Amino acid sequence: MKKINIAVDGVSSSGKSTMAKDLAKIIGYLYIDSGAMYRAVTLYCLQNGLINDDKTINEEKLKAELPNIHIHFELDTETGRPITFLNNENVEAEIRGMEVSALVSPVSAIGFLRKEMVKQQQEMSLKKGVVMDGRDIGTVVFPNAELKIFVTASPEIRAKRRVDELRTRGNEDTTYEEVLENIKYRDHHDRNRTESPLRKADDAIELDNSSINIEQQLQWAVDMYHKTIGKQDGNNRDR
Ligand code: DC
């Protein structure tokens, strides 16, 4: 069967990663979390003194350090989910914490960094059969993706889901208000930045998942995949 690339974009904490991961597993595709790459770079900045006192990023230093930042993914054999490695160190837990979340938006708005990340993301996907999630996948990374999905949900619902997730990971300290504020801040930042702002690609299908659960969302995505593949195979037969 013909393989395609699938772009899943959307607002922060909208459940797009869960959907993209599970979809990739079911259809036997490779899942790539592009947000994890920006998070890993943010962690590198924190660990190496690249954050100025006023919380801006020392871009000059970051540019010089870029060749020393190596990110790769490995599959967790137990969960079947990918783990993010920064310079060969498992950073999966650290990159999900609030310290990284609070600084990842300005880091991901840096033009030269985006250029490098997009290049690496495109290289990882040359053979097709990839589900990648992020903010600019349908617009910049895979402008020709055969299937583009754009996921949204209200900020309050996203904050509640995120807090529930943090609690299941044992984080009792972060409050709902803190998370909601971070989500609203990131929405604003992601949509209004000059470099690749978050926007729905003209040919993306929008899914507002505020009132559906994870299973319903996944079923919807699997149906979309089959529809797209059906069309692709039809097109090939017609040729
Ligand atoms: O999906 P996430 O919340 O883990 O992403 C972390 C941050 O990285 C988010 O604030 C937006 C940014 N990001 C981006 O600018 N482009 C992407 N392709 C993926 C994420």
Side-chain angles (χ1 to χ4, degrees):
M1 199 188 289
K2 184 180 183 231
K3 284 200 170 177
I4 61 171
N5 279 336
I6 302 176
V8 181
D9 290 299
V11 288
S12 298
S13 303
S14 58
K16 58 184 184 313
S17 303
T18 306
M19 181 176 83
K21 258 179 228 165
D22 292 346
L23 173 64
K25 205 169 172 184
I26 288 181
I27 65 179
Y29 275 28
L30 176 69
Y31 165 69
I32 298 173
D33 176 357
S34 68
M37 297 172 73
Y38 293 100
R39 285 175 178 272
V41 174
T42 306
L43 181 63
Y44 184 92
C45 291
L46 279 162
Q47 289 174 336
N48 292 277
L50 305 190
I51 313 285
N52 301 317
D53 289 344
D54 62 356
K55 302 283 177 210
T56 55
I57 320 300
N58 186 334
E59 294 193 23
E60 214 173 298
K61 242 179 159 177
L62 176 60
K63 200 173 206 168
E65 293 276 329
L66 220 47
N68 304 327
I69 305 178
H70 302 285
I71 300 162
H72 78 275
F73 298 101
E74 284 179 23
L75 216 57
D76 182 330
T77 43
E78 263 173 44
T79 61
R81 301 205 151 171
I83 305 172
T84 312
F85 284 78
L86 170 63
N87 293 335
N88 291 322
E89 194 188 324
N90 179 341
V91 292
E92 190 54 39
E94 265 177 294
I95 61 167
R96 308 291 165 191
M98 281 307 283
E99 207 184 357
V100 167
S101 295
L103 283 166
V104 65
S105 271
V107 170
S108 65
I110 299 171
F112 67 81
L113 175 67
R114 297 204 70 84
K115 227 181 190 167
E116 176 57 28
M117 294 295 109
V118 168
K119 191 175 130 235
Q120 292 186 17
Q121 288 152 7
Q122 288 173 336
E123 280 167 6
M124 290 175 191
S125 322
L126 285 175
K127 290 188 189 147
K128 297 231 174 183
V130 166
V131 182
M132 191 180 299
D133 79 340
R135 303 295 187 288
D136 59 341
I137 312 305
T139 50
V140 178
V141 182
F142 299 158
N144 299 321
E146 292 82 350
L147 175 58
K148 298 181 185 178
I149 298 172
F150 191 85
V151 189
T152 62
S154 75
E156 290 73 17
I157 285 192
R158 287 183 278 142
K160 189 189 170 306
R161 289 178 184 158
R162 184 92 184 97
V163 169
D164 291 346
E165 188 194 332
L166 286 169
R167 297 286 179 272
T168 60
R169 289 180 189 213
N171 179 331
E172 300 291 335
D173 303 334
T174 314
T175 63
Y176 167 81
E177 287 71 24
E178 222 179 313
V179 173
L180 181 61
E181 197 184 320
N182 178 255
I183 281 178
K184 286 184 174 169
Y185 161 76
R186 285 203 283 155
D187 279 0
H188 181 79
H189 209 287
D190 292 348
R191 285 185 193 280
N192 292 288
R193 67 185 180 206
T194 359
E195 289 289 337
S196 311
L198 170 69
R199 68 170 183 86
K200 176 181 160 300
D202 294 339
D203 51 351
I205 310 160
E206 184 162 344
L207 171 71
D208 182 336
N209 67 14
S210 299
S211 55
I212 58 171
N213 63 30
I214 289 177
E215 289 75 26
Q216 289 167 321
Q217 159 171 287
L218 177 60
Q219 190 53 53
W220 177 88
V222 172
D223 290 348
M224 283 300 146
Y225 160 76
H226 284 301
K227 249 190 206 168
T228 311
I229 281 289
K231 267 191 219 153
Q232 295 287 317
D233 287 346
N235 288 347
N236 288 345
R237 267 198 306 276
D238 295 344
R239 263 185 213 139

